[in-house]
């Protein structure tokens, strides 16, 4: 009986899962059918409208702010699209790390904060720094002691020289005094070298001249170490965490001035010879509402990636509004120069998709518009080549056309 109940429960569960799967499949099928019906309806509307004009009232034309542009021929040169990415400008960036093992005690900034060159980003402690500070104070004490001995030796040497000149002191006593002076001078020079070495070590640890001078005036040997920004800019990467033990050279922050960025194109070997420094480049940033920016090639890489066989081509882009972020993917369209040709073109905003077909609206009068299917060629910047359906001089709607599309689909 127990086995029968288990079997019955399993069977009911299987039926429920099958029903759920079937319901989900039915839902997807209905959605696909609805999309297909919409596309078919658009096609039917386009076919049924034929050459039927759309008539609007003067008030509707004003309210929709309908604007037109004249179809014309444009001279264009060959363009090529390359994948590219935004990077921080290496000449305007810096990584903050510590030259000695230490522990993070305090963090003063976060990602996105603006910082100045020399600003303290974090405070750390290091036992090695404490030892280096103690070495400086010890070297200072040795220098003061050797300086005192040097002054005394100089006085004694001068005295013995004076007395020897008057026959009061022997030549041997004068020579001994001079030897002591030479020894004191050597000791003092060594103490000075020790001071300079201790200072250089502290400078390498990141202390400033002012901090070192302040240390020499007191006895502060606390092992506090400051992580300072090496450039002006924004914090674009923060790896430091309070309590973290960091190793020498380990990156804590990355700072970059994002008012100017690099866009790096990946160009394959077969295309590399066609690019030149100074070539015009147009970038489209999909994540920013298809924002477009212009630039020119400033450097072409000397080596190819052994894996992809592509070289880096760099373009410098002003970025004062900080909209371009390192890591963004963009499309780079490069004007390859060479031979050019004339094409009939319309602004891309004059095109409307109706049932998978490209349609424009011709203005026949101030209130009368005619839908016209067109055949397209290549994109030329903000324009699209038209290879059929229009002629030079035609006036096509470039603003407010959605109301015309809506009216066409109603007919």
């Amino acid at each position: 009986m127990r086995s029968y109940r288990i079997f019955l429960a399993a069977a009911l569960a299987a039926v429920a899962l099958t029903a759920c799967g079937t319901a989900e499949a039915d839902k997807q099928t209905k959605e696909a059918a609805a999309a297909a019906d919409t596309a078919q309806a658009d096609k039917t509307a386009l076919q049924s409208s034929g050459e039927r004009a759309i008539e609007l009232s003067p008030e509707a034309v004003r309210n929709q702010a309908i604007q037109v542009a004249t179809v014309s021929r444009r001279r264009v040169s060959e363009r090529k699209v390359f994948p590219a990415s935004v990077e921080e400008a290496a000449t305007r960036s810096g990584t903050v790390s510590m030259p000695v093992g230490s522990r993070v005690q305090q963090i003063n900034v976060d990602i996105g904060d603006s910082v100045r060159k020399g600003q303290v980003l974090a405070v750390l402690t290091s036992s090695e720094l404490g030892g280096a500070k103690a070495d400086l104070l010890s070297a200072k004490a040795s220098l003061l002691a050797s300086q005192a001995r040097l002054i005394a030796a100089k006085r004694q040497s001068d005295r013995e020289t004076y007395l020897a000149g008057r026959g009061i002191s022997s030549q041997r006593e004068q020579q001994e005094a001079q030897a002591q002076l030479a020894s004191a001078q050597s000791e003092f020079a060594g103490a000075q070298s020790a001071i300079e070495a201790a200072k250089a070590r502290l400078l390498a640890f990141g202390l400033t001249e002012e901090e070192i001078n302040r240390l020499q005036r007191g006895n502060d040997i606390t092992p506090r170490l400051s992580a300072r920004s090496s450039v002006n800019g924004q914090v674009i990467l923060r790896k430091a965490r309070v309590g973290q033990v960091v190793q020498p050279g380990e990156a804590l922050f990355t700072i970059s001035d994002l008012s100017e960025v690099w866009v790096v194109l990946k160009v394959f070997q077969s295309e590399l010879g066609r690019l030149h420094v100074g070539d015009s480049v147009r970038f489209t940033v999909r994540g920013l509402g298809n924002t477009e920016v212009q630039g020119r090639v400033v450097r072409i890489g000397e080596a190819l990636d052994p894996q992809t066989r592509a070289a880096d081509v760099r373009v410098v882009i002003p970025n004062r509004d900080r909209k371009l972020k390192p890591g963004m993917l963009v499309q780079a369209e490069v004007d390859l120069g060479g031979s050019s040709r004339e094409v009939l073109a319309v602004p891309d905003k004059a095109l409307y998709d109706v049932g998978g077909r490209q349609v424009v609206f011709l203005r026949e009068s101030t209130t009368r518009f005619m839908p016209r299917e067109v055949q397209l060629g290549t994109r030329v910047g903000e324009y699209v080549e038209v290879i059929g359906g229009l002629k030079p001089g035609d006036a096509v709607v470039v603003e407010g056309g959605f109301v015309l599309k809506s009216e066409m689909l109603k007919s």
Side-chain angles (χ1 to χ4, degrees):
M1 184 58 128
R2 177 179 176 83
S3 299
Y4 172 75
R5 289 178 180 173
I6 294 175
F7 173 76
L8 180 59
L12 290 173
V15 170
L17 289 174
T18 302
C20 291
T22 302
E24 182 64 26
D26 287 346
K27 181 181 177 182
Q28 293 178 357
T29 301
K30 289 178 181 178
E31 290 175 351
D37 288 345
T38 300
Q40 184 60 41
D42 287 352
K43 288 183 181 180
T44 302
L46 178 61
Q47 291 167 356
S48 64
S49 65
E51 293 295 320
R52 188 184 311 160
I54 300 169
E55 197 74 48
L56 296 178
S57 67
E59 184 181 3
V61 173
R62 286 194 301 272
N63 290 341
Q64 297 300 324
I66 293 177
Q67 299 179 21
V68 298
T70 302
V71 178
S72 61
R73 303 188 71 84
R74 303 178 64 87
R75 182 166 292 278
V76 298
S77 55
E78 184 181 359
R79 288 177 174 266
K80 180 78 174 179
V81 175
F82 296 96
S85 60
V86 179
E87 297 182 2
E88 63 269 21
T91 53
R92 292 169 173 256
S93 303
T95 299
V96 179
S97 61
M98 305 311 297
V100 61
S102 48
R103 182 186 296 273
V104 179
Q105 296 295 324
Q106 176 183 319
I107 297 174
N108 301 329
V109 296
D110 204 349
I111 293 176
D113 289 350
S114 295
V115 299
R116 303 178 310 277
K117 182 178 180 179
Q119 181 176 334
V120 176
L121 309 182
V123 177
L124 305 90
T125 56
S126 169
S127 58
E128 193 172 344
L129 173 64
K133 285 184 173 182
D135 289 346
L136 175 62
L137 295 178
S138 176
K140 178 188 174 183
S142 297
L143 178 67
L144 293 175
S146 63
Q147 185 179 36
R149 286 191 289 270
L150 175 61
I151 293 172
K154 181 69 168 61
R155 288 175 179 172
Q156 182 64 22
S157 176
D158 290 344
R159 179 175 179 277
E160 291 298 333
T161 299
Y162 175 79
L163 294 175
R166 285 165 174 70
I168 301 174
S169 178
S170 66
Q171 185 177 6
R172 182 177 63 81
E173 290 173 326
Q174 180 185 7
Q175 290 174 345
E176 288 178 352
Q178 290 176 342
Q180 289 176 355
L181 174 61
S183 176
Q185 288 173 332
S186 177
E187 182 183 352
F188 182 73
Q192 285 182 314
S193 297
I195 282 280
E196 294 305 317
K199 286 183 178 180
R201 189 181 179 198
L202 291 173
L203 286 172
F205 283 175
L207 270 67
T208 64
E209 290 279 3
E210 181 182 350
E211 289 174 326
I212 293 174
N213 291 335
R214 191 161 58 245
L215 171 64
Q216 291 185 91
R217 292 193 296 269
N219 293 302
D220 178 21
I221 58 171
T222 56
R224 291 168 62 86
L225 192 60
S226 297
R228 300 177 184 274
S229 176
S230 57
V231 295
N232 297 323
Q234 293 76 47
V235 180
I236 64 172
L237 182 65
R238 170 195 147 181
K239 292 186 175 180
R241 301 184 304 277
V242 173
Q244 176 185 0
V245 175
V246 299
Q247 301 302 317
E250 182 178 349
L252 299 177
F253 303 91
T254 298
I255 312 298
S256 182
D257 178 3
L258 296 179
S259 63
E260 183 178 279
V261 295
W262 291 354
V263 178
V264 179
L265 287 62
K266 299 296 183 181
V267 181
F268 292 111
Q269 179 178 341
S270 57
E271 301 284 355
L272 197 58
R274 306 181 66 186
L275 270 70
H276 306 87
V277 172
D279 282 349
S280 173
V281 186
R282 183 173 68 92
F283 299 98
T284 303
V285 187
R286 301 298 183 191
L288 297 177
N290 289 340
T291 298
E292 292 185 356
V293 291
Q294 299 281 341
R296 292 191 178 275
V297 175
V298 298
R299 185 173 295 278
I300 298 175
E302 299 295 333
L304 273 66
D305 186 304
Q307 302 297 325
T308 63
R309 310 307 301 170
D312 288 347
V313 175
R314 184 196 311 165
V315 180
V316 176
I317 300 292
N319 186 39
R320 293 180 181 85
D321 56 7
R322 309 296 198 277
K323 286 186 177 180
L324 297 177
K325 311 292 185 184
M328 277 186 170
L329 299 179
V330 299
Q331 277 192 329
E333 189 173 311
V334 183
D335 184 351
L336 295 177
S339 60
S340 61
R341 60 191 178 96
E342 276 196 351
V343 300
L344 192 67
V346 296
D348 55 8
K349 57 185 178 180
L351 298 168
Y352 296 87
D353 184 90
V354 180
R357 303 183 186 185
Q358 295 300 307
V359 173
V360 299
F361 294 99
L362 297 177
R363 185 180 68 181
E364 294 188 336
S365 70
T366 56
T367 59
R368 184 182 176 87
F369 303 89
M370 182 71 72
R372 177 73 55 82
E373 182 179 354
V374 291
Q375 291 75 48
L376 304 179
T378 59
R379 178 175 292 275
V380 184
E382 297 179 353
Y383 288 79
V384 181
E385 179 186 5
V386 176
I387 57 179
L390 292 176
K391 64 181 185 300
D394 285 341
V396 295
V397 174
V398 293
E399 295 288 348
F402 282 105
V403 67
L404 297 172
K405 178 180 177 181
S406 177
E407 290 296 324
M408 183 190 73
L409 294 176
K410 289 179 183 177
S411 61

